[in-house]
Amino acid sequence: QAHTSQHGKKKRKGQRTRIDSDVGAEESRLHVRLSSLAVVLLHEDILIVSPETGQVTASSLQQMRRVADQFFFRLGLFAASGYGKKDFEMAKKIFLEACQLNHIRLLAAPVIMESDEKRSLSSTVVGAVLTAASVEVLECLVEKVASSSQPVVEYVELLMFEEAGPSREGASQLVSTQPDLRVQMKHITRIRSNINARSRPPHTDISILLQNCSMEVDPSIVDRISAVLNPRPLCTPSTTLPGHVDLTGICQPMDLTARTERKTDLKISSPLVVLKIRFPIPDLRPLHV
């Protein structure tokens, strides 16, 4: 009995030491709220790198400035004012006037992001939660016609959510009033207390909750966004001289192939998902001579 009591005392002491270290951990919190968020991703890269100099050409840089100036000028006060789900349909016309190039567009309103970081002697834990009440992701394909001043536009609904309230015709009757999108992430990095301790790889848990939604998948989108999937370096670094800053890491695109030992768990859940797959039909008609 004496041995058992002594063992229990040591165990409680170890627990108390671990709790005390957690209590003294450093904590930081961040809360960001956006009334609305818009992201426009162009299919083609406007910036062109000269093969002779390895730098971005002046003409492509000027073209990029013109496109950006026209984009924000046409948006006007719509970019500064918040908008909601009811304004998404009106946003189609406004964004088309602002950007008449093939692009992928994300609209979300409102968006709330909360994150916290906790550092202790044994681990570092970073958590983040992102919620968006209304979300819409569209691919906008613009075809300019010489005989008309208005371009021909085709929208591919990459991700659309059902509206809350009375269900529209053909929609599910189970429409939730919860946010369309909720993403929760937790990243844990263990710190070895000594050299002989066993090293544990970083662990990341990602949970994505989608409300009733529909998706359109077009396999040919991979070809249309090849410039995004295969980014080119914006410049070619020269030999670093003494006293100069090495720009190799800045000029080169992000290396997504680097492998480090880590564990990631991804969970995606939704009460209802309607998936539509588009198959392009080739035109096999003979050419007329």
Side-chain angles (χ1 to χ4, degrees):
Q1 291 180 352
H3 176 73
T4 304
S5 176
Q6 184 178 4
H7 178 72
K9 185 182 297 184
K10 289 183 178 180
K11 185 176 181 181
R12 287 194 298 270
K13 182 179 179 181
Q15 290 178 346
R16 183 170 61 252
T17 303
R18 184 169 59 253
I19 294 174
D20 292 342
S21 63
D22 292 338
V23 171
E26 298 180 1
E27 293 188 29
S28 58
R29 299 179 182 273
L30 176 66
H31 181 92
V32 178
R33 178 183 175 88
L34 302 176
S35 60
S36 57
L37 173 67
V39 178
V40 176
L41 180 63
L42 299 180
H43 283 187
E44 299 180 1
D45 190 359
I46 298 178
L47 298 178
I48 300 176
V49 178
S50 173
E52 290 80 11
T53 62
Q55 307 296 326
V56 177
T57 61
S59 58
S60 65
L61 186 59
Q62 293 177 0
Q63 182 183 0
M64 186 67 186
R65 288 175 178 172
R66 288 194 298 267
V67 171
D69 292 341
Q70 178 183 357
F71 178 78
F72 289 104
F73 176 77
R74 294 291 179 85
L75 282 183
L77 295 178
F78 185 81
S81 60
Y83 49 85
K85 182 73 172 180
K86 63 181 185 303
D87 303 317
F88 281 6
E89 191 65 29
M90 180 182 63
K92 285 185 178 181
K93 180 180 178 181
I94 297 177
F95 275 94
L96 179 60
E97 294 177 353
C99 180
Q100 296 190 358
L101 300 173
N102 295 339
H103 63 273
I104 295 176
R105 182 169 69 240
L106 163 68
L107 296 181
V111 179
I112 300 176
M113 185 184 70
E114 298 175 317
S115 66
D116 59 88
E117 181 181 12
K118 184 176 181 180
R119 293 177 176 268
S120 64
L121 298 177
S122 59
S123 64
T124 299
V125 181
V126 179
V129 178
L130 184 144
T131 58
S134 301
V135 179
E136 177 183 88
V137 183
L138 296 175
E139 183 184 16
C140 182
L141 303 177
V142 183
E143 181 181 358
K144 296 183 179 180
V145 183
S147 59
S148 176
S149 59
Q150 296 296 329
V152 178
V153 184
E154 179 183 2
Y155 291 101
V156 180
E157 298 179 346
L158 300 180
L159 179 61
M160 301 289 291
F161 290 89
E162 296 183 5
E163 298 181 4
S167 300
R168 60 181 182 273
E169 183 179 357
S172 171
Q173 299 297 322
L174 301 176
V175 181
S176 174
T177 57
Q178 297 296 320
D180 287 348
L181 174 66
R182 177 182 173 87
V183 181
Q184 189 170 2
M185 186 273 294
K186 185 177 182 180
H187 180 78
I188 302 177
T189 303
R190 303 290 182 181
I191 301 175
R192 290 190 296 179
S193 57
N194 54 67
I195 301 177
N196 297 327
R198 182 180 178 183
S199 176
R200 296 183 180 180
H203 185 199
T204 303
D205 288 326
I206 302 176
S207 177
I208 302 176
L209 175 60
L210 304 172
Q211 295 302 318
N212 297 356
C213 61
S214 61
M215 303 179 185
E216 287 191 22
V217 179
D218 184 358
S220 61
I221 191 176
V222 178
D223 299 328
R224 293 194 293 271
I225 62 174
S226 59
V228 179
L229 300 178
N230 303 285
R232 297 175 300 179
L234 295 179
C235 57
T236 302
S238 57
T239 304
T240 305
L241 299 177
H244 289 194
V245 179
D246 186 7
L247 301 178
T248 304
I250 300 177
C251 296
Q252 297 298 327
M254 183 181 297
D255 184 11
L256 300 179
T257 61
R259 296 184 178 181
T260 56
E261 187 180 1
R262 63 180 65 238
K263 181 181 179 182
T264 302
D265 293 332
L266 176 62
K267 177 183 177 182
I268 302 177
S269 58
S270 175
L272 175 65
V273 176
V274 178
L275 182 61
K276 304 175 184 178
I277 302 179
R278 288 189 173 195
F279 293 98
I281 301 176
D283 189 356
L284 302 179
R285 293 175 296 179
L287 297 176
H288 297 283
V289 181

